[in-house]
PDB file of all heavy atoms in Angstrom:
ATOM      1  N   ILE F 607     -61.645 -58.807  35.816  1.00 87.00           N
ATOM      2  CA  ILE F 607     -60.339 -59.436  35.876  1.00 87.00           C
ATOM      3  C   ILE F 607     -59.390 -58.589  35.046  1.00 87.00           C
ATOM      4  O   ILE F 607     -59.776 -58.024  34.025  1.00 87.00           O
ATOM      5  CB  ILE F 607     -60.398 -60.907  35.370  1.00 87.00           C
ATOM      6  CG1 ILE F 607     -59.071 -61.595  35.563  1.00 87.00           C
ATOM      7  CG2 ILE F 607     -60.838 -60.961  33.927  1.00 87.00           C
ATOM      8  CD1 ILE F 607     -59.122 -63.080  35.348  1.00 87.00           C
ATOM      9  N   THR F 625     -50.777 -57.485  27.189  1.00 94.00           N
ATOM     10  CA  THR F 625     -52.094 -56.975  27.603  1.00 94.00           C
ATOM     11  C   THR F 625     -53.117 -57.157  26.492  1.00 94.00           C
ATOM     12  O   THR F 625     -54.265 -57.547  26.746  1.00 94.00           O
ATOM     13  CB  THR F 625     -51.986 -55.483  27.991  1.00 94.00           C
ATOM     14  OG1 THR F 625     -50.979 -55.348  28.988  1.00 94.00           O
ATOM     15  CG2 THR F 625     -53.301 -54.967  28.520  1.00 94.00           C
ATOM     16  N   GLU F 630     -57.693 -60.370  24.295  1.00 92.00           N
ATOM     17  CA  GLU F 630     -58.219 -61.241  23.229  1.00 92.00           C
ATOM     18  C   GLU F 630     -58.685 -62.581  23.800  1.00 92.00           C
ATOM     19  O   GLU F 630     -59.725 -63.111  23.405  1.00 92.00           O
ATOM     20  CB  GLU F 630     -57.141 -61.459  22.154  1.00 92.00           C
ATOM     21  CG  GLU F 630     -57.531 -62.395  21.053  1.00 92.00           C
ATOM     22  CD  GLU F 630     -58.671 -61.879  20.185  1.00 92.00           C
ATOM     23  OE1 GLU F 630     -59.010 -60.695  20.242  1.00 92.00           O
ATOM     24  OE2 GLU F 630     -59.226 -62.710  19.432  1.00 92.00           O
ATOM     25  N   PHE F 637     -65.600 -63.803  28.728  1.00 93.00           N
ATOM     26  CA  PHE F 637     -65.394 -63.849  30.173  1.00 93.00           C
ATOM     27  C   PHE F 637     -66.340 -62.950  30.944  1.00 93.00           C
ATOM     28  O   PHE F 637     -66.655 -63.223  32.098  1.00 93.00           O
ATOM     29  CB  PHE F 637     -63.939 -63.504  30.495  1.00 93.00           C
ATOM     30  CG  PHE F 637     -63.454 -64.098  31.776  1.00 93.00           C
ATOM     31  CD1 PHE F 637     -63.060 -65.423  31.838  1.00 93.00           C
ATOM     32  CD2 PHE F 637     -63.412 -63.346  32.940  1.00 93.00           C
ATOM     33  CE1 PHE F 637     -62.622 -65.978  33.021  1.00 93.00           C
ATOM     34  CE2 PHE F 637     -62.981 -63.892  34.129  1.00 93.00           C
ATOM     35  CZ  PHE F 637     -62.584 -65.213  34.163  1.00 93.00           C
ATOM     36  N   ARG F 646     -66.341 -71.793  38.292  1.00 92.00           N
ATOM     37  CA  ARG F 646     -67.102 -72.771  39.078  1.00 92.00           C
ATOM     38  C   ARG F 646     -66.867 -74.185  38.555  1.00 92.00           C
ATOM     39  O   ARG F 646     -66.627 -75.118  39.326  1.00 92.00           O
ATOM     40  CB  ARG F 646     -68.587 -72.424  39.025  1.00 92.00           C
ATOM     41  CG  ARG F 646     -69.463 -73.348  39.809  1.00 92.00           C
ATOM     42  CD  ARG F 646     -70.922 -72.867  39.722  1.00 92.00           C
ATOM     43  NE  ARG F 646     -71.810 -73.864  40.234  1.00 92.00           N
ATOM     44  CZ  ARG F 646     -72.363 -74.822  39.500  1.00 92.00           C
ATOM     45  NH1 ARG F 646     -72.132 -74.890  38.212  1.00 92.00           N
ATOM     46  NH2 ARG F 646     -73.148 -75.710  40.049  1.00 92.00           N
ATOM     47  N   VAL F 654     -60.234 -78.142  33.103  1.00 93.00           N
ATOM     48  CA  VAL F 654     -61.026 -77.529  32.047  1.00 93.00           C
ATOM     49  C   VAL F 654     -60.293 -77.757  30.734  1.00 93.00           C
ATOM     50  O   VAL F 654     -59.069 -77.608  30.664  1.00 93.00           O
ATOM     51  CB  VAL F 654     -61.211 -76.009  32.290  1.00 93.00           C
ATOM     52  CG1 VAL F 654     -61.909 -75.355  31.124  1.00 93.00           C
ATOM     53  CG2 VAL F 654     -61.985 -75.758  33.555  1.00 93.00           C
ATOM     54  N   ILE F 660     -58.578 -72.653  14.637  1.00 90.00           N
ATOM     55  CA  ILE F 660     -57.863 -71.667  13.835  1.00 90.00           C
ATOM     56  C   ILE F 660     -58.460 -71.653  12.445  1.00 90.00           C
ATOM     57  O   ILE F 660     -58.775 -72.713  11.887  1.00 90.00           O
ATOM     58  CB  ILE F 660     -56.357 -72.005  13.787  1.00 90.00           C
ATOM     59  CG1 ILE F 660     -55.777 -71.959  15.200  1.00 90.00           C
ATOM     60  CG2 ILE F 660     -55.609 -71.048  12.881  1.00 90.00           C
ATOM     61  CD1 ILE F 660     -54.368 -72.461  15.300  1.00 90.00           C
ATOM     62  N   ASP F 661     -58.620 -70.475  11.877  1.00 87.00           N
ATOM     63  CA  ASP F 661     -59.126 -70.348  10.511  1.00 87.00           C
ATOM     64  C   ASP F 661     -58.038 -70.823   9.548  1.00 87.00           C
ATOM     65  O   ASP F 661     -56.971 -70.208   9.464  1.00 87.00           O
ATOM     66  CB  ASP F 661     -59.488 -68.889  10.225  1.00 87.00           C
ATOM     67  CG  ASP F 661     -60.112 -68.698   8.869  1.00 87.00           C
ATOM     68  OD1 ASP F 661     -60.492 -69.707   8.231  1.00 87.00           O
ATOM     69  OD2 ASP F 661     -60.244 -67.533   8.432  1.00 87.00           O
ATOM     70  N   PRO F 662     -58.274 -71.935   8.810  1.00 86.00           N
ATOM     71  CA  PRO F 662     -57.219 -72.465   7.938  1.00 86.00           C
ATOM     72  C   PRO F 662     -56.894 -71.538   6.756  1.00 86.00           C
ATOM     73  O   PRO F 662     -55.797 -71.609   6.203  1.00 86.00           O
ATOM     74  CB  PRO F 662     -57.773 -73.804   7.446  1.00 86.00           C
ATOM     75  CG  PRO F 662     -59.229 -73.760   7.719  1.00 86.00           C
ATOM     76  CD  PRO F 662     -59.468 -72.764   8.791  1.00 86.00           C
ATOM     77  N   LYS F 674     -65.469 -75.209  24.439  1.00 93.00           N
ATOM     78  CA  LYS F 674     -65.322 -75.955  25.683  1.00 93.00           C
ATOM     79  C   LYS F 674     -65.567 -77.429  25.425  1.00 93.00           C
ATOM     80  O   LYS F 674     -66.476 -77.802  24.687  1.00 93.00           O
ATOM     81  CB  LYS F 674     -66.303 -75.421  26.715  1.00 93.00           C
ATOM     82  CG  LYS F 674     -66.050 -75.926  28.082  1.00 93.00           C
ATOM     83  CD  LYS F 674     -66.895 -75.200  29.090  1.00 93.00           C
ATOM     84  CE  LYS F 674     -66.448 -75.638  30.451  1.00 93.00           C
ATOM     85  NZ  LYS F 674     -66.841 -74.733  31.477  1.00 93.00           N
ATOM     86  N   VAL F 686     -46.063 -95.082  23.014  1.00 89.00           N
ATOM     87  CA  VAL F 686     -44.610 -95.155  22.929  1.00 89.00           C
ATOM     88  C   VAL F 686     -44.257 -96.293  21.978  1.00 89.00           C
ATOM     89  O   VAL F 686     -44.643 -97.441  22.191  1.00 89.00           O
ATOM     90  CB  VAL F 686     -43.981 -95.395  24.321  1.00 89.00           C
ATOM     91  CG1 VAL F 686     -42.472 -95.498  24.219  1.00 89.00           C
ATOM     92  CG2 VAL F 686     -44.396 -94.310  25.282  1.00 89.00           C
ATOM     93  N   VAL F 697     -35.664-100.131  22.732  1.00 87.00           N
ATOM     94  CA  VAL F 697     -35.250 -98.744  22.552  1.00 87.00           C
ATOM     95  C   VAL F 697     -36.455 -97.954  22.056  1.00 87.00           C
ATOM     96  O   VAL F 697     -37.165 -98.383  21.145  1.00 87.00           O
ATOM     97  CB  VAL F 697     -34.091 -98.648  21.527  1.00 87.00           C
ATOM     98  CG1 VAL F 697     -33.693 -97.204  21.304  1.00 87.00           C
ATOM     99  CG2 VAL F 697     -32.911 -99.462  21.989  1.00 87.00           C
ATOM    100  N   ILE F 699     -38.241 -95.456  19.923  1.00 86.00           N
ATOM    101  CA  ILE F 699     -37.954 -94.825  18.627  1.00 86.00           C
ATOM    102  C   ILE F 699     -38.897 -93.651  18.351  1.00 86.00           C
ATOM    103  O   ILE F 699     -38.634 -92.848  17.465  1.00 86.00           O
ATOM    104  CB  ILE F 699     -38.031 -95.847  17.476  1.00 86.00           C
ATOM    105  CG1 ILE F 699     -39.402 -96.509  17.428  1.00 86.00           C
ATOM    106  CG2 ILE F 699     -36.926 -96.867  17.578  1.00 86.00           C
ATOM    107  CD1 ILE F 699     -39.625 -97.354  16.202  1.00 86.00           C
ATOM    108  N   ASP F 709     -67.727 -88.687  22.153  1.00 85.00           N
ATOM    109  CA  ASP F 709     -68.935 -88.007  22.611  1.00 85.00           C
ATOM    110  C   ASP F 709     -69.722 -88.832  23.629  1.00 85.00           C
ATOM    111  O   ASP F 709     -70.481 -88.280  24.414  1.00 85.00           O
ATOM    112  CB  ASP F 709     -69.815 -87.656  21.407  1.00 85.00           C
ATOM    113  CG  ASP F 709     -70.868 -86.628  21.762  1.00 85.00           C
ATOM    114  OD1 ASP F 709     -70.552 -85.740  22.578  1.00 85.00           O
ATOM    115  OD2 ASP F 709     -71.996 -86.718  21.248  1.00 85.00           O
ATOM    116  N   VAL F 727     -55.567 -78.485  21.765  1.00 94.00           N
ATOM    117  CA  VAL F 727     -56.329 -78.619  23.009  1.00 94.00           C
ATOM    118  C   VAL F 727     -55.629 -77.834  24.112  1.00 94.00           C
ATOM    119  O   VAL F 727     -54.422 -77.957  24.311  1.00 94.00           O
ATOM    120  CB  VAL F 727     -56.480 -80.104  23.421  1.00 94.00           C
ATOM    121  CG1 VAL F 727     -57.169 -80.231  24.753  1.00 94.00           C
ATOM    122  CG2 VAL F 727     -57.245 -80.856  22.355  1.00 94.00           C
ATOM    123  N   GLY F 733     -54.138 -78.794  39.711  1.00 89.00           N
ATOM    124  CA  GLY F 733     -52.867 -79.001  40.395  1.00 89.00           C
ATOM    125  C   GLY F 733     -52.956 -80.040  41.497  1.00 89.00           C
ATOM    126  O   GLY F 733     -51.945 -80.452  42.033  1.00 89.00           O
ATOM    127  N   LEU F 734     -54.183 -80.472  41.838  1.00 89.00           N
ATOM    128  CA  LEU F 734     -54.360 -81.514  42.848  1.00 89.00           C
ATOM    129  C   LEU F 734     -54.429 -82.865  42.152  1.00 89.00           C
ATOM    130  O   LEU F 734     -55.224 -83.051  41.236  1.00 89.00           O
ATOM    131  CB  LEU F 734     -55.651 -81.286  43.636  1.00 89.00           C
ATOM    132  CG  LEU F 734     -55.764 -79.970  44.391  1.00 89.00           C
ATOM    133  CD1 LEU F 734     -57.139 -79.857  45.027  1.00 89.00           C
ATOM    134  CD2 LEU F 734     -54.691 -79.884  45.452  1.00 89.00           C
ATOM    135  N   LEU F 746     -63.129 -79.270  45.428  1.00 88.00           N
ATOM    136  CA  LEU F 746     -64.268 -79.694  46.240  1.00 88.00           C
ATOM    137  C   LEU F 746     -64.363 -81.212  46.365  1.00 88.00           C
ATOM    138  O   LEU F 746     -65.362 -81.730  46.848  1.00 88.00           O
ATOM    139  CB  LEU F 746     -65.571 -79.156  45.635  1.00 88.00           C
ATOM    140  CG  LEU F 746     -65.771 -77.657  45.735  1.00 88.00           C
ATOM    141  CD1 LEU F 746     -67.083 -77.267  45.114  1.00 88.00           C
ATOM    142  CD2 LEU F 746     -65.707 -77.195  47.168  1.00 88.00           C
ATOM    143  N   ALA F 749     -65.292 -82.765  49.676  1.00 89.00           N
ATOM    144  CA  ALA F 749     -66.647 -82.490  50.162  1.00 89.00           C
ATOM    145  C   ALA F 749     -67.683 -83.428  49.551  1.00 89.00           C
ATOM    146  O   ALA F 749     -68.830 -83.449  49.996  1.00 89.00           O
ATOM    147  CB  ALA F 749     -67.022 -81.054  49.853  1.00 89.00           C
ATOM    148  N   ILE F 763     -83.537 -91.183  57.705  1.00 90.00           N
ATOM    149  CA  ILE F 763     -84.374 -90.575  58.751  1.00 90.00           C
ATOM    150  C   ILE F 763     -85.841 -90.562  58.332  1.00 90.00           C
ATOM    151  O   ILE F 763     -86.729 -90.844  59.147  1.00 90.00           O
ATOM    152  CB  ILE F 763     -83.861 -89.155  59.084  1.00 90.00           C
ATOM    153  CG1 ILE F 763     -82.562 -89.261  59.873  1.00 90.00           C
ATOM    154  CG2 ILE F 763     -84.894 -88.354  59.863  1.00 90.00           C
ATOM    155  CD1 ILE F 763     -81.887 -87.930  60.120  1.00 90.00           C
TER     156      ILE F 763
END
Side-chain angles (χ1 to χ4, degrees):
I607 186 169
T625 305
E630 177 66 14
F637 206 80
R646 181 178 169 270
V654 174
I660 298 172
D661 184 13
K674 192 171 187 161
V686 179
V697 178
I699 58 171
D709 196 36
V727 176
L734 300 176
L746 290 180
I763 287 174

